[in-house]
Amino acid sequence: MANMDSILGKPKGNEDGEHWLTVSDLMAGLMMVFLFIAIAFMRHVSIERDKIKDVAVAYQQNQVAIFDALNEEFRNDLSQWKASIDEETLSFQFNSPEVLFASGESALKPEFEQILADFIPRYLRVLEAYRESIDEVRIEGHTSSEWGIDTHPDDAYFFNMSLSQNRTRSVLNYAYLISSLSTEQRGWIKSSFAAVGLASSRLKLNEDGSENKEKSRRVSFRVITNADIQIRKIVEGL
């Protein structure tokens, strides 16, 4: 019977380990390949991380620019309208419930209609310069936590939810039908504005932590930028 050397062929080299040195060199070569792959991957991750950082920086700069533009346009109106602009959330808030709606009603009061007729066209003009970076504008309705004297808190929450949703729809409907708006502006409202009722989920509190029912009743226009969408696309591409 032929021996194994005659069948497979005798390995090159002597019996002092030259054959195994060749295998060792092969393993070293493979390790270098894996090292280069790891370095390339780390570089790719570093580049993508820098992209996310750039988006974050641009987001912050954009937030500041939108806030400054809104403040510049409306600073002389805020006191008269009893309104405020939150720099962190880009929320333009109307804080005077007695001007906005009658208690428990969703129809706009005439005074609020007059404010919106002035506010909406100017608001859209300000945001137009930042339209490419805006994903959505939310009209948010907020209420206090109370309803009737004998109403269970759970029932009060859902009653207020329905009320806040109806109120934001009333605001959106009125805003859309303002006669001075262009066809393009109405198209933007249809595609990017949302009416969101939040009921008592985001109450305003007093210094002692108790609910400030007066300040909790408000309507706000909040700009949502698309920075998170851009970051998500970068992460998905990793």
Side-chain angles (χ1 to χ4, degrees):
M1 182 177 179
N3 62 32
M4 293 299 294
D5 286 346
S6 64
I7 296 174
L8 300 178
K10 188 174 181 180
K12 295 180 179 180
N14 56 33
E15 297 179 359
D16 295 330
E18 291 184 5
H19 170 68
W20 299 111
L21 286 175
T22 303
V23 173
S24 177
D25 290 342
L26 176 61
M27 293 301 296
L30 289 174
M31 288 181 65
M32 290 299 296
V33 171
F34 288 132
L35 178 61
F36 286 134
I37 292 174
I39 292 173
F41 178 75
M42 291 173 64
R43 183 173 182 275
H44 175 69
V45 170
S46 177
I47 292 172
E48 298 305 309
R49 183 184 61 211
D50 289 342
K51 287 182 181 179
I52 293 175
K53 181 179 179 181
D54 291 343
V55 170
V57 171
Y59 164 78
Q60 181 61 34
Q61 293 173 341
N62 197 52
Q63 289 274 113
V64 173
I66 294 175
F67 171 78
D68 288 344
L70 289 172
N71 193 55
E72 177 67 22
E73 175 67 30
F74 295 107
R75 61 185 175 186
N76 295 327
D77 303 295
L78 296 177
S79 177
Q80 178 183 353
W81 293 347
K82 295 182 180 179
S84 60
I85 308 173
D86 189 294
E87 186 172 3
E88 294 297 321
T89 62
L90 293 181
S91 292
F92 194 108
Q93 301 180 88
F94 293 96
N95 302 310
S96 183
E98 71 276 5
V99 172
L100 309 179
F101 308 93
S103 179
E105 300 294 329
S106 60
L108 279 62
K109 283 188 172 182
E111 186 176 351
F112 192 29
E113 290 181 345
Q114 292 176 7
I115 292 173
L116 289 175
D118 184 13
F119 167 73
I120 292 295
R122 293 163 61 192
Y123 185 68
L124 292 175
R125 285 197 298 270
V126 170
L127 295 185
E128 177 62 34
Y130 308 94
R131 185 168 173 175
E132 292 302 316
S133 67
I134 295 175
D135 181 56
E136 184 178 62
V137 177
R138 293 180 184 172
I139 304 173
E140 298 179 339
H142 304 267
T143 68
S144 67
S145 63
E146 68 179 3
W147 191 259
I149 297 176
D150 299 323
T151 305
H152 189 279
D154 290 344
D155 293 329
Y157 171 75
F158 285 104
F159 290 152
N160 279 314
M161 177 62 73
S162 178
L163 177 63
S164 63
Q165 289 173 338
N166 290 336
R167 284 177 170 178
T168 56
R169 283 197 291 267
S170 293
V171 172
L172 180 58
N173 181 74
Y174 183 84
Y176 182 80
L177 295 175
I178 292 174
S179 59
S180 61
L181 297 187
S182 66
T183 301
E184 183 180 358
Q185 287 174 321
R186 287 197 178 91
W188 188 26
I189 289 177
K190 286 176 69 175
S191 65
S192 300
F193 279 56
V196 182
L198 295 171
S200 56
S201 60
R202 299 179 186 176
L203 296 172
K204 293 289 187 178
L205 304 178
N206 297 311
E207 292 184 0
D208 62 1
S210 60
E211 176 185 349
N212 187 316
K213 295 179 181 179
E214 185 75 9
K215 290 184 178 180
S216 293
R217 302 182 183 109
R218 64 200 189 277
V219 170
S220 61
F221 287 73
R222 185 158 73 97
V223 175
I224 310 296
T225 63
N226 58 20
D228 60 328
I229 296 175
Q230 296 178 37
I231 291 175
R232 186 164 60 250
K233 287 181 179 179
I234 294 172
V235 172
E236 289 174 351
L238 289 176

